[in-house]
Amino acid sequence: MKRLALLAAPFALAACGTSEPEPAPSPTPTPAQPRTLVGADLDLSLLGAKIVGPQGPEVETVLSAGNRQIGTMVSFVACPEGTTECIPGNMPEGTIYTYVHSVTLAEAPADEPEAAPSEGPEVVESPPTLFRTTAKAHGFNAAVGYAKAQAQATLGSEDAISITSDDGQLIWRVVDGSGWKPGTTLTFWWQSTLAPDGPADAYLLEVEGNQAVARGPFPAMKKAASAKPAN
């Protein structure tokens, strides 16, 4: 019996020394980083007829922050060049729709004091100046830009605006130039394979620390085709 016990001991020790393999770590999804887009100039000659909605061919909205109007936005959506009547229901599948938004800053009040010059060597970061979508740009085909002549006249540089896509949302940001002055206009555009689903509170203007939600034409998420009944 002692001999059997001695023989069994190494196996018992070996069993005690074994352990279950550690489970492989589950992969952690990496958040998508903002993607820089190349902005093209707005060429109205390449656009066809505009979509005519309940408010006509253009949608105008007042941009307000608190109890103050900081600007206006006029938007329209156009079919491709050569289209004489832009009716989404009559357009072929794959039609590209161009969304155009012209934003004009309100004139500064006459009694508004001028900003005092900064003093000291410290660098104070100014608030961002940008226009953006607040929802994913459904059907976006990567064509995007702004009116470069306006950027040159308003900001002093036609390359003063950078464009990024962040989680499907489009952001036009003023990154150079002399600043967006009151009373001046900048026009932004982008394209989608989806027609607008009517005006939506899907845009935002941020300037001088003020934010204003903008209402304009925006495409709805494409609905999935209904399943065919089983035979």
Side-chain angles (χ1 to χ4, degrees):
M1 294 294 290
K2 289 182 180 180
R3 180 180 174 81
L4 291 174
L6 291 173
L7 290 174
F11 295 99
L13 292 173
C16 292
T18 60
S19 60
E20 293 294 328
E22 294 184 2
S26 56
T28 302
T30 303
Q33 296 297 318
R35 181 164 55 96
T36 301
L37 303 175
V38 178
D41 194 11
L42 174 63
D43 188 349
L44 296 176
S45 68
L46 299 179
L47 303 183
K50 301 175 183 178
I51 294 176
V52 180
Q55 300 182 38
E58 296 181 342
V59 177
E60 183 171 355
T61 183
V62 173
L63 308 177
S64 300
N67 58 355
R68 176 191 171 196
Q69 178 179 333
I70 64 172
T72 57
M73 183 174 82
V74 177
S75 304
F76 67 85
V77 181
C79 280
E81 179 184 6
T83 306
T84 57
E85 192 175 25
C86 189
I87 303 176
N90 296 343
M91 300 303 295
E93 187 174 354
T95 295
I96 302 297
Y97 299 93
T98 302
Y99 290 69
V100 181
H101 314 281
S102 294
V103 179
T104 303
L105 295 189
E107 294 284 356
D111 57 350
E112 183 175 295
E114 294 185 3
S118 58
E119 298 180 358
E122 69 276 2
V123 176
V124 179
E125 185 177 352
S126 59
T129 297
L130 58 86
F131 175 75
R132 64 174 296 163
T133 68
T134 56
K136 288 186 177 182
H138 307 305
F140 177 53
N141 71 342
V144 64
Y146 56 93
K148 296 201 170 186
Q150 288 181 345
Q152 178 68 50
T154 300
L155 305 172
S157 171
E158 66 175 24
D159 299 318
I161 298 175
S162 72
I163 308 173
T164 56
S165 174
D166 189 355
D167 194 27
Q169 301 176 18
L170 303 177
I171 305 170
W172 293 260
R173 185 186 299 266
V174 176
V175 294
D176 197 8
S178 55
W180 194 350
K181 301 295 190 295
T184 58
T185 301
L186 291 175
T187 300
F188 314 94
W189 69 270
W190 59 287
Q191 289 184 337
S192 174
T193 57
L194 301 176
D197 191 43
D201 295 332
Y203 302 93
L204 182 138
L205 173 68
E206 184 170 349
V207 61
E208 295 182 353
N210 298 308
Q211 291 187 346
V213 174
R215 187 171 182 82
F218 200 75
M221 185 179 297
K222 189 174 183 179
K223 297 179 181 179
S226 56
K228 295 181 180 180
N231 293 335

